[in-house]
Amino acid sequence: MRIVDAHCDALTKLALNERLDFDREQEELDVCFPRLRQAGVKVQLFAMYVSESIHNPGFDHILHMIDVFYRKIGRHPQMQIIRTSEDWLKVEASSKIGAVLTLEGLDALGGNLAYIRLLHELGVRAIGLTWNYANWAADGVMEPRNGGFTRKGRAMLKELESLGIIVDVSHLSVAAFWELTNLYPKPFIASHSNAQAHCAHPRNLSDDQIKAIITCKGMMGLTFVPYFVESGKEHVPISALLNHIDHVCALGGEKHIGFGSDFDGIEQWMVNLRHTGDYANIREALSKSYTETQVEAFLYGNWRRFMVANLPRCKNPDQSNFDMDTI
């Protein structure tokens, strides 16, 4: 079993608490190397989220998390940082687990586009534009005014397009979502969002939004946040998550579904999904309703196809033994 998980907040926990050890199981850490290996996760996307507990966040907070990423995850002998399509394929052909660095929320950049260029050089490959509220670039989904992009935000989108950094619309306001579809010509993702039709939380996506992601050949990472899966229930079963998969498939999105757990970003868990090591329970549930080919696509193949197509290619093709035209 191979898995891609498009969103976790383990890096934030590792940055805030230096005593946490990525290389061993601990109660405080949902995502760690032993659990990734246990589950069969082949590629994990690690988000940098500047905690609300940090007042007036600055770029130095981002740099601290990047340092933690390289020290605690990148230097692990069985982990491999992925920056390019070729890196992904090398990980795929090895026994290592791939790690992709992402950013959740642009707040700490303060509108400085030079920081975005620097983040690209440091390996950031996807950026969630907002968290729940407004920042200098756009409004988040919980911002009461439901505004779109600022002037600087529109300039930022052009920079992301030029650099090839993947845009993540999870947490983005509805108005900004639709503005994005007119401003941004490339495929985009929702790394950790579910379907509003089955759970009417503001963080979930409407049918029209899901169809827009399908139309742009993007990806939707279904998330394990219990109250994004089923509202008003204390114990949410995996079967409730499958309802979201059924719905997205009915909209034509079978090839655009993956998972983005949000492990380590949550304080409540679904039944039998307490940490990354429990992914086997997802596979078991999927196998009862879908073919082996569909299950492989949901867990790995759909994200793999999208990422290999949308990550930057190696600047020096001679450094890779892979022929990208054969993929």
Side-chain angles (χ1 to χ4, degrees):
M1 178 171 66
R2 294 183 300 180
I3 295 165
V4 177
D5 187 312
H7 187 89
C8 80
D9 287 298
L11 184 54
T12 297
K13 285 187 175 179
L14 289 168
L16 289 173
N17 187 350
E18 280 288 336
R19 72 176 184 81
L20 289 178
D21 185 355
F22 177 70
D23 201 30
R24 66 184 181 91
E25 293 186 18
Q26 296 165 280
E27 184 66 26
E28 304 99 312
L29 203 58
D30 299 343
V31 177
C32 59
F33 177 78
R35 287 174 174 156
L36 292 172
R37 180 67 79 198
Q38 171 189 343
V41 174
K42 191 60 178 173
V43 179
Q44 176 70 60
L45 278 66
F46 289 89
M48 295 184 289
Y49 166 64
V50 179
S51 170
E52 285 185 288
S53 65
I54 298 174
H55 301 291
N56 300 316
F59 195 62
D60 56 328
H61 295 104
I62 300 293
L63 291 177
H64 172 60
M65 280 191 280
I66 293 174
D67 173 61
V68 171
F69 176 73
Y70 279 92
R71 283 192 294 111
K72 294 195 173 187
I73 298 170
R75 290 181 184 174
H76 191 286
Q78 291 301 312
M79 298 291 296
Q80 176 67 53
I81 293 173
I82 293 175
R83 301 180 185 86
T84 66
S85 297
E86 288 85 355
D87 289 340
W88 187 292
L89 297 178
K90 288 176 182 177
V91 166
E92 194 169 63
S94 75
S95 62
K96 293 186 176 183
I97 297 172
V100 181
L101 182 60
T102 74
L103 175 64
E104 183 175 27
L106 290 164
D107 305 56
L109 276 61
N112 189 335
L113 299 186
Y115 287 156
I116 291 177
R117 294 188 288 273
L118 181 56
L119 289 177
H120 180 263
E121 291 298 317
L122 292 173
V124 173
R125 290 297 176 260
I127 290 181
L129 307 178
T130 66
W131 191 59
N132 284 337
Y133 304 107
N135 61 26
W136 58 268
D139 275 12
V141 71
M142 305 298 284
E143 188 65 39
R145 66 186 176 186
N146 186 35
F149 285 90
T150 66
R151 179 176 58 83
K152 281 189 175 181
R154 289 188 287 272
M156 172 272 304
L157 280 179
K158 291 184 180 296
E159 196 68 34
L160 295 180
E161 178 188 347
S162 174
L163 292 168
I165 295 176
I166 297 165
V167 168
D168 183 355
V169 300
S170 285
H171 288 286
L172 195 61
S173 74
V174 174
F177 179 100
W178 291 115
E179 190 175 356
L180 175 79
T181 62
N182 292 320
L183 294 172
Y184 189 75
K186 290 186 175 183
F188 56 87
I189 68 172
S191 65
H192 56 306
S193 297
N194 291 342
Q196 277 189 1
H198 279 279
C199 183
H201 193 282
R203 274 274 287 102
N204 288 339
L205 301 177
S206 69
D207 286 0
D208 286 342
Q209 288 177 304
I210 294 170
K211 289 176 183 178
I213 290 173
I214 295 167
T215 298
C216 83
K217 299 181 180 180
M219 280 290 297
M220 182 175 176
L222 299 181
T223 186
F224 306 161
V225 183
Y227 44 89
F228 292 179
V229 177
E230 194 169 30
S231 60
K233 294 285 187 70
E234 184 177 353
H235 303 291
V236 178
I238 292 174
S239 59
L241 185 63
L242 268 58
N243 292 333
H244 292 260
I245 297 175
D246 292 342
H247 186 77
V248 177
C249 286
L251 296 174
E254 180 177 330
K255 295 182 178 179
H256 304 273
I257 296 172
F259 293 102
S261 65
D262 207 9
F263 279 136
D264 288 307
I266 55 179
E267 296 179 350
Q268 300 176 40
W269 296 267
M270 294 176 60
V271 177
N272 296 324
L273 277 179
R274 176 58 182 79
H275 53 67
T276 295
D278 287 338
Y279 253 112
N281 297 325
I282 286 276
R283 180 180 177 83
E284 181 181 357
L286 289 171
S287 297
K288 294 176 181 178
S289 301
Y290 298 96
T291 67
E292 184 177 347
T293 299
Q294 289 174 313
V295 173
E296 191 279 336
F298 297 154
L299 289 172
Y300 182 77
N302 288 343
W303 272 120
R304 186 259 192 198
R305 183 186 63 251
F306 176 86
M307 296 298 286
V308 170
N310 289 282
L311 284 169
R313 296 197 177 183
C314 186
K315 293 181 180 178
N316 181 3
D318 294 335
Q319 293 178 358
S320 174
N321 295 322
F322 295 92
D323 181 359
M324 296 298 293
D325 294 329
T326 65
I327 300 171

